């Protein structure tokens, strides 16, 4: 699978506000996005395992975490934010898809800056920590969350609902307190059922759906020994899937030329998202040469031994459509400016939903615009409070 590079990510998310909502896996999704916006590097074992720290890669802890009491209860809070001159990325730790706390988050969106991209998932805590018969409660909360989000966010905002990744047969983790250990044996089946409900409802509400359960069903070697969390390679793949989906929704074409991966030349086909198995083939070639292999569900993250340029396609040209301003090129023609081609979103290649109905869905193209460039008259302190 082709990977999104640091250069592509910085151009795609330039002047964008990204919000990530969810549990510890979504926190790692946030961290990987923050890392990729700064450099082509993978998260370390310590970075993936840490929670509630004061700072991660120049971000700041806004609320909760080590500022309060660290615990594994449903009331645990953690709000993180990475802010620079052209990027704003925020993470909220949530244990339930709709609650009083979620309502307060939505109020932040209503009264403050509207996010351009919302990446959200909430499932494992919902179906294990609140009610034994979780189906009715979970579906009702999903309805309320999607309705509120649709009401608050403008049409241009892109919401991507991530389906929960596969759980292991024997799981352990922070959310699995002694009171619910009896649920561990069948929780992986409950996740599949919950994914069906949440994916169907998200699609009905016009949200975009990314099926990470499907994407990682044959990548279980990248799951850690606790049966819940995933390593740095898996999280970079999640980031690539998300950014490729965002690019499609905005009508942005990201070219992936031939590049060297571990001494082998690999060509990716960007006109078809899953036409080549670059990720699997490169792994097989590296294994055969003894460059990298971690065959079991080890505690260590296998990315620590990975070559630096693995899955990173350097010198890729990003081709976003024009912004809606006076300097924009007319939609009726293409214009090459500093190596960037501007193109009307309706002329970009659409996602082939007929061949991948259960994998990824994009309801319609969103306008590519800079939402808060003119709302920032001065440079904010990088570690200042969020706004």
């Amino acid at each position: 699978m082709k990977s999104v590079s640091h250069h592509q990510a910085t151009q795609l998310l330039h002047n964008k506000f990204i919000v990530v909502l969810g549990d510890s896996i979504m926190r790692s999704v946030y961290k990987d996005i923050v890392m990729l916006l700064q450099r082509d590097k993978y998260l370390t074992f310590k970075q993936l395992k840490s929670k509630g720290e004061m700072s991660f890669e120049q971000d700041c802890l806004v609320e909760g975490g080590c500022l309060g009491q660290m615990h594994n209860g449903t009331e645990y809070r953690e709000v993180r934010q990475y802010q620079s001159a052209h990027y704003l990325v925020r993470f909220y730790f949530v244990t339930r898809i709709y609650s009083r706390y979620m309502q307060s988050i939505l109020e932040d969106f209503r009264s403050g800056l509207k996010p351009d991209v919302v990446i959200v998932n909430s499932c494992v805590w919902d179906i294990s920590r609140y009610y034994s018969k979780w189906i009715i409660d979970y579906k009702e909360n999903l309805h309320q969350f999607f309705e509120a989000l649709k009401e608050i966010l403008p049409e241009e905002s892109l919401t991507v609902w991530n389906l929960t990744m596969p759980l292991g047969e024997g799981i352990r983790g922070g959310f699995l307190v002694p009171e619910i250990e009896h649920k561990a044996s069948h929780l992986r089946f409950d996740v599949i059922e919950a994914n069906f409900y949440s994916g169907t409802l998200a699609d009905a509400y016009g949200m975009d759906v990314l099926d990470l359960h499907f994407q990682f069903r044959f990548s279980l070697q990248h799951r850690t020994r606790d049966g819940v969390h995933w390593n740095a390679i898996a999280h970079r793949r999640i980031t690539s899937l998300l950014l490729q989906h965002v690019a499609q929704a905005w009508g942005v074409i990201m070219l992936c030329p031939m590049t060297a991966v571990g001494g082998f030349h690999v060509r990716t086909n960007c006109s078809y998202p899953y036409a080549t198995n670059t990720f699997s083939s490169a792994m097989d070639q590296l294994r055969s040469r003894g460059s990298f292999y971690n065959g079991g569900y080890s505690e260590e993250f296998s990315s620590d031994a990975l070559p630096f340029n693995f899955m990173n396609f350097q010198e890729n040209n990003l081709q976003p459509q024009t912004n809606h301003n006076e300097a924009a090129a007319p939609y009726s023609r293409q214009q090459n400016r500093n190596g960037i081609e501007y193109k009307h979103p309706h002329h970009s290649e659409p996602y082939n939903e007929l061949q991948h109905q259960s994998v990824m869905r994009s309801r319609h193209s969103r306008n590519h615009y800079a939402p808060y460039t003119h709302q920032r008259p001065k440079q904010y302190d990088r570690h200042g409070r969020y706004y």
Side-chain angles (χ1 to χ4, degrees), residues 3-7 9-10 31-41 236 239-240 243 312:
S3 176
V4 174
S5 68
H6 160 71
H7 179 68
T10 54
K31 287 184 174 181
D32 195 70
I33 293 173
V34 170
M35 177 69 80
L36 188 60
L37 285 175
Q38 298 181 65
R39 58 186 178 275
D40 276 313
K41 187 178 178 182
R236 182 51 52 86
T239 302
S240 296
L243 295 187
N312 292 330

Side-chain angles (χ1 to χ4, degrees), residues 27-55:
R27 175 171 53 218
S28 296
V29 171
Y30 157 83
K31 287 184 174 181
D32 195 70
I33 293 173
V34 170
M35 177 69 80
L36 188 60
L37 285 175
Q38 298 181 65
R39 58 186 178 275
D40 276 313
K41 187 178 178 182
Y42 289 91
L43 298 172
T44 65
F45 171 79
K46 182 179 179 181
Q47 289 171 333
L48 281 167
K49 193 174 182 180
S50 298
K51 75 171 186 177
E53 66 269 39
M54 282 300 299
S55 181

Side-chain angles (χ1 to χ4, degrees), residues 62-98:
V62 177
E63 178 186 341
C66 65
L67 294 175
Q69 183 180 2
M70 301 286 287
H71 58 84
N72 293 324
T74 56
E75 298 301 317
Y76 176 74
R77 300 289 179 261
E78 183 177 346
V79 181
R80 312 196 65 84
Q81 178 168 285
Y82 170 71
Q83 179 180 327
S84 68
H86 298 289
Y87 312 106
L88 180 62
V89 189
R90 192 180 300 164
F91 167 74
Y92 296 88
F93 185 92
V94 297
T95 63
R96 205 174 191 181
I97 189 57
Y98 196 76

